[in-house]
Amino acid sequence: MKTARLEAFSDGVFAIAITLLIIEIKVPEDTSHLLTKLGELWPSYLGFVISFLVIGLIWANHHAMFDHIVTADRTLLFLNTVLLMLVVFIPFSAGVLAAGFRTGESERTAVVLYGVVLIAGGIPFNAIWEYARRNHRLLGPTITPAEAKRIARRFYLGPILYGVGTLLGALVPALGIAVFALLIPYYWLPPAMHWFRKPQPAQPAE
């Protein structure tokens, strides 16, 4: 089957998940000290910004993957569904993260939970690409097997690096958050090979 319906459904889930993040930021009830109360919500702002960019990052790379994946089967649909399930879980883990830092209690647990969700999300993401590129079975002519392999190596790093951040966060919570934040620009920047590009039409021979 073609991937159009899969992509449309995925885009809808990404949009809902990223919108749910704002619900975790509660409007202060005490408006007599509004500026102070708004300042106290900084953990919620932090969780919102990081999670918004993370979900946007997953969506962008998911979109880029499906520039090259041209057909889908039931296995790919299942792997994509698992990925979306974990994406939708990010707003909850962001809320737990904000609550942990806001109260100053169980910060390590909150950071580890957040990191585990990101690690878990990287597994089906990698599985989608690995399954699609095996024998080039679901990929189109927009990418070569060698390029697909290089992309796979870049994707493999995701769960590993998030795992490092999670381990550091279990020791020093703020350090774990810093690692998660630093990984956002790393994965937003396209790789040097420019694998997002579309193939150019062949020029007629002169």
Side-chain angles (χ1 to χ4, degrees):
M1 65 184 74
K2 297 298 183 182
T3 63
R5 291 187 66 187
L6 180 153
E7 293 179 69
F9 176 72
S10 300
D11 286 348
V13 173
F14 279 117
I16 292 171
I18 210 167
T19 303
L20 287 175
L21 291 171
I22 195 63
I23 297 177
E24 296 298 331
I25 304 180
K26 306 300 182 183
V27 176
E29 295 182 2
D30 181 7
T31 57
S32 61
H33 302 88
L34 186 57
L35 185 60
T36 300
K37 293 300 180 181
L38 287 173
E40 291 173 355
L41 291 175
W42 69 265
S44 295
Y45 306 146
L46 178 65
F48 172 80
V49 171
I50 291 177
S51 301
F52 198 100
L53 293 175
V54 165
I55 294 177
L57 173 62
I58 299 171
W59 170 80
N61 283 324
H62 184 273
H63 175 72
M65 273 202 306
F66 280 88
D67 277 345
H68 305 295
I69 300 174
V70 295
T71 57
D73 58 17
R74 292 186 71 84
T75 299
L76 191 76
L77 292 175
F78 172 75
L79 294 173
N80 192 71
T81 299
V82 175
L83 170 63
L84 296 178
M85 176 182 70
L86 293 165
V87 168
V88 173
F89 200 75
I90 291 177
F92 171 77
S93 63
V96 172
L97 184 69
F101 276 86
R102 188 166 53 249
T103 62
E105 299 175 354
S106 301
E107 293 177 354
R108 289 181 174 84
T109 301
V111 172
V112 169
L113 172 65
Y114 192 82
V116 167
V117 172
L118 297 183
I119 295 168
I123 295 173
F125 193 96
N126 275 277
I128 290 170
W129 185 247
E130 196 62 34
Y131 180 77
R133 80 175 185 90
R134 188 181 302 168
N135 299 322
H136 222 74
R137 63 173 130 195
L138 301 179
L139 302 183
T142 58
I143 191 169
T144 67
E147 289 175 327
K149 186 175 182 178
R150 285 198 293 270
I151 292 167
R153 287 199 295 265
R154 179 178 168 89
F155 285 164
Y156 291 155
L157 284 174
I160 296 172
L161 294 175
Y162 284 124
V164 171
T166 302
L167 290 175
L168 292 174
L171 300 173
V172 183
L175 187 56
I177 295 298
V179 173
F180 298 151
L182 289 173
L183 288 176
I184 293 172
Y186 172 75
Y187 274 104
W188 265 111
L189 294 174
M193 60 175 290
H194 302 302
W195 68 281
F196 298 96
R197 71 187 186 282
K198 294 279 191 176
Q200 298 298 319
Q203 298 295 324
E206 296 181 358

